Amino acid sequence: MEIEPEGGDRMLRRKGSLHLWQEVCVSVEKDIRQQRLFPGERLATEEELARRFNVHRNTVRRALEVLEEKGLIRTEHGLGSFVRERLISHPMGRRTTLPVILKGLDRGGREEILGSSTVLPSREIFAALRLEKSQYVRRVNMLTLVDDNPTMISSAYFPLPRFHGIDKAIAETGSVPDGLKQLGTEEIIRYESRITTSNPTRTDAELLRQPRSQPVLKLKNTIVDGANQPILFSQIRMSARWIELIIQYNDL
């Protein structure tokens, strides 16, 4: 005779060879691995899953805990459970760039230009690019997508007149490194990176498809060419849901 656990919770009761929580876990994992649920997609609520499998919510909660331990889902307080995204490890070496990393991982990536304009630089940009007095820069705002998922927003500043037409070159080639090469700059070297975190603006949160309560990584990069001349200063807001940064102290 089968005995129910105290409190009426059937979480430990077996159905066939599996505990009930295992049956829920196996079914949801199968949906994830067979791509019936996609990275970043929100799972049904505990109550909805309990009705679907005809089990107690505690049974569902146990199954979700196991799925999270296995790295298949993530839980956001007050928002629910989501299929975990395919995290990209981004080594921060002197010559590593995200487009190159994506090619090595066989991940589809592209940069979409949100807008561009010629502007007078701020003091910070003026100093980073070692500009002459009254020298203008070309600002290009971009959204980076990986596997069609928005991962990064950047405002890139290029000194003029050297990089006149950089926005067109980026649009034609699909990336900043390739756009710079099209304009004759072969060597792209990271000179300095400053990393902080903050909550995104409303606009950035909408572009990254994430809640404003979820922080973003903020990077300020100064890039130089082979002659150590600054060619780019960028301000980047990066979704921590998709990218982890790895600091490399030696390029091999």
Side-chain angles (χ1 to χ4, degrees):
M1 184 178 78
E2 186 175 37
I3 300 176
E4 294 281 347
E6 290 185 8
D9 187 357
R10 301 184 302 149
M11 179 173 64
L12 298 180
R13 182 171 60 79
R14 288 180 180 273
K15 183 176 181 180
S17 60
L18 296 177
H19 292 298
L20 288 180
W21 69 263
Q22 290 175 314
E23 184 182 69
V24 176
C25 189
V26 167
S27 180
V28 175
E29 180 173 348
K30 187 176 180 180
D31 286 343
I32 293 172
R33 297 197 183 279
Q34 294 185 355
Q35 296 187 337
R36 287 192 288 269
L37 291 170
F38 294 98
E41 185 173 344
R42 185 178 181 273
L43 270 64
T45 65
E46 289 182 0
E47 184 176 351
E48 289 168 340
L49 288 171
R51 287 200 301 268
R52 171 184 167 186
F53 291 99
N54 192 29
V55 296
H56 195 279
R57 286 183 62 177
N58 286 345
T59 304
V60 171
R61 193 168 295 125
R62 171 59 176 151
L64 295 179
E65 288 173 355
V66 172
L67 289 169
E68 189 164 19
E69 290 169 1
K70 296 175 73 170
L72 293 173
I73 68 170
R74 57 179 174 82
T75 301
E76 294 185 21
H77 182 68
L79 295 175
S81 298
F82 300 80
V83 180
R84 186 171 291 280
E85 296 82 356
R86 293 173 61 198
L87 199 66
I88 303 163
S89 296
H90 185 348
M92 293 283 289
R94 294 187 68 215
R95 299 175 185 270
T96 53
T97 63
L98 186 58
V100 173
I101 292 167
L102 294 176
K103 287 180 182 178
L105 295 173
D106 195 26
R107 301 284 294 272
R110 69 181 190 277
E111 290 179 313
E112 294 184 354
I113 294 181
L114 302 174
S116 60
S117 58
T118 297
V119 298
L120 274 172
S122 66
R123 290 183 179 180
E124 180 181 30
I125 298 168
F126 182 89
L129 293 177
R130 304 175 209 159
L131 299 172
E132 301 292 337
K133 187 176 181 180
S134 300
Q135 186 175 357
Y136 283 80
V137 295
R138 189 67 174 172
R139 179 178 63 198
V140 184
N141 295 323
M142 292 167 287
L143 175 66
T144 300
L145 297 101
V146 179
D147 300 333
D148 291 324
N149 297 302
T151 60
M152 188 169 75
I153 303 165
S154 57
S155 299
Y157 299 85
F158 304 86
L160 294 175
R162 178 176 178 181
F163 293 106
H164 176 74
I166 184 63
D167 40 356
K168 181 180 178 181
I170 294 170
E172 288 178 350
T173 62
S175 75
V176 170
D178 289 337
L180 287 167
K181 289 179 181 179
Q182 187 179 97
L183 295 185
T185 301
E186 292 293 332
E187 286 196 89
I188 302 170
I189 304 168
R190 194 188 307 273
Y191 177 79
E192 180 182 78
S193 294
R194 298 188 180 192
I195 306 171
T196 57
T197 62
S198 71
N199 288 341
T201 64
R202 185 180 302 277
T203 299
D204 283 357
E206 289 175 356
L207 285 169
L208 292 172
R209 301 178 199 163
Q210 69 172 62
R212 293 190 67 189
S213 58
Q214 186 176 62
V216 293
L217 296 169
K218 298 183 75 173
L219 283 75
K220 292 182 178 181
N221 291 319
T222 301
I223 308 297
V224 299
D225 61 14
N228 201 37
Q229 290 298 311
I231 57 176
L232 164 63
F233 178 81
S234 62
Q235 298 170 324
I236 297 172
R237 290 84 76 197
M238 186 178 292
S239 174
R241 291 165 50 187
W242 294 99
I243 298 179
E244 66 173 357
L245 297 177
I246 301 174
I247 308 301
Q248 291 188 335
Y249 296 98
N250 293 291
D251 285 341
L252 299 178

